[in-house]
Amino acid sequence: MSSSSEEMDVDMNDLKEQSAGGKYSWLSVREHAWKRPDSYLGPIPVTEISNHVFCCAPLTEDMSETIKSPVKLSTEVVSYQASPALFKFWDEIVVNAFDNACRDPKQKYIHLRIGSDGVFTVSNDGDAIPIEKWNNSDRYIIEILFVELMSGENFDDSKKRKGGGKNGVGAALVNLFSKWMKVQVISDKEKYTQHFENNSSVIHPPKIVPSKKSDTKGVSVTWMPDYDRIGMKATDVSDNDLLSLLKMRAYDIAACSRKNLSVTFNGENVGIKTLSDYANVFDTVIVKDSCGDDDTGCEFCLLGTSVCIGFVNGVRCCYGTLVDAIYKDIADKFSSVFSKKYKRPIVMKPSQVRDQIGLIVKSTISNPLFASQTKEKFTTRREDFGFTLTLSNKVWNSIEKSNAYTSLQGILQKEEDKSLFLTALIPSLIDEFFLDLN
């Protein structure tokens, strides 16, 4: 027998104002997320989404699904009319699998799948959510985590949290905006399976059976997004461009993970093992460097093309304090070098560097801060990164030998020539002005 969520007493399709005067509303968190989804998901309306994607030669029949040598990848920019919310749903569950890999060094894989019918699946092995009831409740921990917003393990800020999760809304939010969801958790002793329907308003009782020796311990989440709610159709994901845009998160996660973690998409290994593998698809790496250590730190690659992609604890955030700090340090170095060269103050702007030097950076930072639930902008202050961000001599020496250095020097030389021209021109203009007065 199925049940309704404890917080879903009001029909979500017919939320009504409730107050003495009928003027005010008092919504539960779930009802608020339903009524104001942009507060949790970011923009909902369908818009043109454009981004870099990776392309590879199609597999031939004699190729194995597990390729020993990396597939040759290239990049291109594609666009598709889609709701950004669809990408947010995908990302929330993918990041959960990545977080588990960070906690469990024995985890071997993350399997991602998007079917032509519009169904999404994320699976990972390793230590899983405990199959236990919530304290003082008849409901299981798994059910609460996938139904109730503001539930999770990320609220104790006294502990160092190095995952991508923060606000305890991710998985439950995806379920809230899904036609149905199936969650399966396998432990050493038990297999837990539970189904949810109608935007998680219908909660079927979990089925718990003893696990078999052939079962792999881990978590699998399968769901059908409520495409109508975000202005899309299930068949949209069969389009190659949209599928390629969604697939990029598989490459992202592979680049951010340790080398011995296998990441697959629709049954195929993605062919990326390191950040350098990822960066080299865009362009030849000028230099690779790192700061900090395995606990907290960052690794980055500078490229000769103007792409900028950042990751914080597996979350893709291409804007914010980390990216800004790296570009500022490079710009400051340019300013110092060229000020000595031209024997006058030179100020190189970070935006000028960004136009000429690409950056791919991944970082591990304790208790990271983001501008919003969409996590597109990282906001932790530089002094709170947990490591000292410095550019080594190796980085600068490599930049000096690059085409980017020549380009930036050319930009400054043009500015210098313009300055000299104006310096010479202005006195003559002044003289002419006074001659005219006489």
Side-chain angles (χ1 to χ4, degrees):
M1 181 177 179
S2 63
S3 63
S4 295
S5 168
E6 292 175 357
E7 291 190 8
M8 294 296 289
D9 296 330
V10 179
D11 184 351
M12 295 184 63
N13 294 314
D14 189 28
L15 291 174
K16 297 179 179 179
E17 294 175 339
Q18 299 178 20
S19 72
K23 180 179 179 181
Y24 303 100
S25 297
W26 186 359
L27 306 179
S28 70
V29 177
R30 286 166 56 81
E31 292 163 359
H32 184 266
W34 190 255
K35 291 282 283 184
R36 297 290 183 265
D38 55 305
S39 298
Y40 303 81
L41 295 168
I44 306 299
V46 170
T47 186
E48 182 176 80
I49 295 176
S50 181
N51 213 332
H52 287 92
V53 301
F54 289 175
C55 316
C56 61
L59 296 176
T60 58
E61 293 182 359
D62 60 339
M63 290 183 179
S64 167
E65 285 190 356
T66 55
I67 306 169
K68 293 183 179 180
S69 58
V71 176
K72 179 65 176 176
L73 295 170
S74 60
T75 184
E76 65 178 358
V77 176
V78 302
S79 301
Y80 193 85
Q81 292 287 330
S83 170
L86 185 67
F87 290 80
K88 185 61 181 171
F89 300 152
W90 179 230
D91 192 52
E92 289 289 355
I93 307 300
V94 169
V95 168
N96 284 350
F98 173 81
D99 286 353
N100 196 76
C102 295
R103 291 189 296 266
D104 181 6
K106 294 182 180 179
Q107 183 175 324
K108 296 179 180 178
Y109 66 77
I110 295 175
H111 293 330
L112 311 178
R113 182 172 292 277
I114 301 176
S116 58
D117 56 356
V119 174
F120 289 70
T121 300
V122 177
S123 304
N124 63 268
D125 64 330
D127 291 335
I129 308 167
I131 304 176
E132 301 171 1
K133 288 187 176 180
W134 197 278
N135 286 341
N136 303 316
S137 173
D138 291 331
R139 300 170 71 188
Y140 279 85
I141 292 173
I142 297 168
E143 178 182 310
I144 289 177
L145 294 180
F146 281 88
V147 173
E148 307 300 347
L149 299 173
M150 314 304 180
S151 62
E153 60 180 339
N154 296 320
F155 298 111
D156 186 354
D157 289 338
S158 65
K159 296 180 180 179
K160 290 185 176 182
R161 185 182 67 251
K162 297 185 177 67
K166 179 189 176 187
N167 297 318
V169 301
L173 197 64
V174 176
N175 200 359
L176 183 63
F177 285 86
S178 294
K179 290 282 190 181
W180 57 263
M181 176 180 279
K182 173 187 173 183
V183 178
Q184 185 173 85
V185 177
I186 301 176
S187 69
D188 290 325
K189 296 181 180 180
E190 297 176 305
K191 178 190 289 186
Y192 177 108
T193 306
Q194 190 166 20
H195 291 81
F196 309 93
E197 294 182 87
N198 298 338
N199 309 103
S200 72
S201 64
V202 177
I203 304 172
H204 294 279
K207 180 181 179 181
I208 304 174
V209 299
S211 56
K212 301 177 181 178
K213 289 184 178 181
S214 58
D215 290 330
T216 300
K217 186 169 66 171
V219 179
S220 179
V221 183
T222 303
W223 72 98
M224 169 67 84
D226 192 341
Y227 289 98
D228 291 339
R229 292 285 173 184
I230 58 175
M232 297 182 66
K233 297 178 292 184
T235 53
D236 287 342
V237 298
S238 61
D239 183 275
N240 285 335
D241 286 344
L242 179 56
L243 195 63
S244 295
L245 288 165
L246 290 163
K247 185 180 179 180
M248 276 304 294
R249 282 304 279 145
Y251 293 112
D252 293 349
I253 290 300
C256 293
S257 303
R258 59 182 185 274
K259 289 183 180 180
N260 62 350
L261 185 75
S262 172
V263 179
T264 67
F265 183 83
N266 284 359
E268 296 178 4
N269 194 296
V270 297
I272 295 288
K273 286 294 183 182
T274 66
L275 192 71
S276 293
D277 290 342
Y278 186 96
N280 274 314
V281 179
F282 290 95
D283 198 357
T284 302
V285 173
I286 295 173
V287 63
K288 171 189 169 185
D289 205 7
S290 61
C291 303
D293 52 36
D294 292 338
D295 186 46
T296 55
C298 75
E299 177 184 339
F300 62 89
C301 297
L302 299 182
L303 310 174
T305 186
S306 59
V307 63
C308 179
I309 300 175
F311 303 105
V312 176
N313 298 2
V315 175
R316 179 190 267 240
C317 45
C318 303
Y319 305 95
T321 50
L322 178 59
V323 168
D324 290 347
I326 293 174
Y327 275 121
K328 181 181 182 302
D329 285 1
I330 297 174
D332 287 348
K333 183 65 175 179
F334 267 107
S335 298
S336 175
V337 170
F338 288 134
S339 291
K340 292 178 182 178
K341 178 180 176 63
Y342 293 106
K343 297 180 181 180
R344 69 176 181 86
I346 296 289
V347 178
M348 174 69 75
K349 298 176 183 178
S351 59
Q352 291 175 304
V353 176
R354 189 165 180 157
D355 287 342
Q356 300 296 328
I357 298 178
L359 172 66
I360 310 288
V361 56
K362 69 173 182 179
S363 63
T364 302
I365 293 176
S366 298
N367 303 344
L369 300 177
F370 302 94
S372 67
Q373 175 62 23
T374 60
K375 300 176 183 174
E376 293 173 320
K377 185 176 182 180
F378 174 64
T379 59
T380 297
R381 297 179 304 173
R382 181 171 183 160
E383 56 266 33
D384 296 328
F385 286 175
F387 60 92
T388 301
L389 178 63
T390 56
L391 297 181
S392 66
N393 290 333
K394 178 182 77 171
V395 172
W396 181 248
N397 291 339
S398 298
I399 290 175
E400 283 188 312
K401 298 173 184 176
S402 70
N403 291 332
Y405 180 91
T406 304
S407 297
L408 286 166
Q409 187 176 30
I411 291 171
L412 286 177
Q413 186 62 56
K414 287 181 180 179
E415 292 179 356
E416 177 70 9
D417 293 343
K418 182 179 179 180
S419 176
L420 291 173
F421 173 74
L422 291 175
T423 300
L425 179 64
I426 289 174
S428 62
L429 291 175
I430 294 174
D431 290 342
E432 288 182 17
F433 174 74
F434 283 109
L435 284 172
D436 290 339
L437 288 179
N438 293 332

